[in-house]
């Protein structure tokens, strides 16, 4: 199912964030947190740049958005270029974010079924640019990629 114009707009913000992360020497995963048609924050994976164990794209977007009232999270959508891992899915559930738009899940399948089982609407864009960013990164930096997803 094709994305709505609104979803495409915000996924493109997440893709731009992923490119920023790549250009900084990090993992090219981006995210955008949107509520009421307004961008609260974009973020990208900053594990390499910040020496962080937890700054994946989604968690970085949450950090950049700062503290929000619970009701804001419950009206928001998380846009992410890659299927959210267990940690990022946990943050989505913790804050009650009801909807996630995912750029792609071909290079990594995260906790989508868990999100769905908890009532989160999961929309898959199957975006070729998102796939290309990840495939190129994984080919060039397999050790960094494995570190990012907790593999040996």
């Amino acid at each position: 199912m094709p994305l709505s114009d609104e979803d495409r707009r915000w996924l493109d913000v997440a893709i731009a964030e992923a490119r920023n992360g790549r250009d900084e020497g990090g993992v090219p995963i981006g995210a955008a947190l949107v509520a009421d048609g307004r961008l609260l924050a974009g973020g990208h994976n900053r594990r390499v740049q910040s020496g962080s164990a937890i700054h994946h794209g989604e968690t970085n977007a949450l950090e950049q958005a700062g503290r929000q009232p619970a009701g804001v999270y419950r009206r928001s959508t998380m846009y992410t270029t890659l299927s959210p891992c267990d940690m990022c899915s946990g943050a989505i559930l913790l804050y009650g974010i009801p909807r996630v738009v995912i750029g792609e899940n071909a290079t990594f399948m995260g906790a989508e079924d868990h999100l769905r089982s908890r009532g989160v609407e999961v929309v898959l864009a199957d975006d070729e640019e998102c796939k290309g960013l990840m495939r190129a990164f994984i080919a060039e930096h397999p050790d960094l990629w494995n570190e990012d997803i907790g593999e040996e």
Side-chain angles (χ1 to χ4, degrees), residues 3-77:
L3 293 181
S4 70
D5 290 344
E6 186 80 355
D7 284 339
R8 182 76 250 172
R9 172 186 179 196
W10 299 119
L11 182 59
D12 286 344
V13 170
I15 292 170
E17 287 284 346
R19 283 192 224 108
N20 288 342
R22 175 202 60 201
D23 295 347
E24 293 171 357
V27 183
I29 302 169
L33 183 63
V34 175
D36 303 320
R38 182 176 67 88
L39 179 66
L40 299 176
H44 54 273
N45 187 304
R46 295 195 45 82
R47 290 187 70 250
V48 173
Q49 302 90 311
S50 298
S52 170
I54 62 169
H55 275 275
H56 283 192
E58 300 90 337
T59 56
N60 186 248
L62 286 164
E63 175 73 12
Q64 296 305 314
R67 293 174 56 199
Q68 300 291 324
V72 171
Y73 293 118
R74 286 175 173 74
R75 296 189 311 272
S76 66
T77 297

Side-chain angles (χ1 to χ4, degrees), residues 83-84 89 92-93 98 100 102 105 109-125:
S83 185
S89 294
I92 289 164
L93 293 172
V100 178
I102 299 169
N105 64 6
M109 172 62 81
E112 294 175 33
D113 287 341
H114 183 58
L115 289 169
R116 285 185 193 96
S117 78
R118 297 284 301 274
V120 175
E121 178 187 357
V122 176
V123 177
L124 178 63

Side-chain angles (χ1 to χ4, degrees), residues 8 88-89 101 128 134-135 151:
R8 182 76 250 172
C88 295
S89 294
V101 175
E128 290 302 321
M134 286 310 303
R135 286 182 180 137
E151 297 288 327

Side-chain angles (χ1 to χ4, degrees), residues 138 141-148 151:
I138 292 167
H141 306 285
D143 291 342
L144 275 180
W145 172 242
N146 287 332
E147 176 189 320
D148 198 64
E151 297 288 327

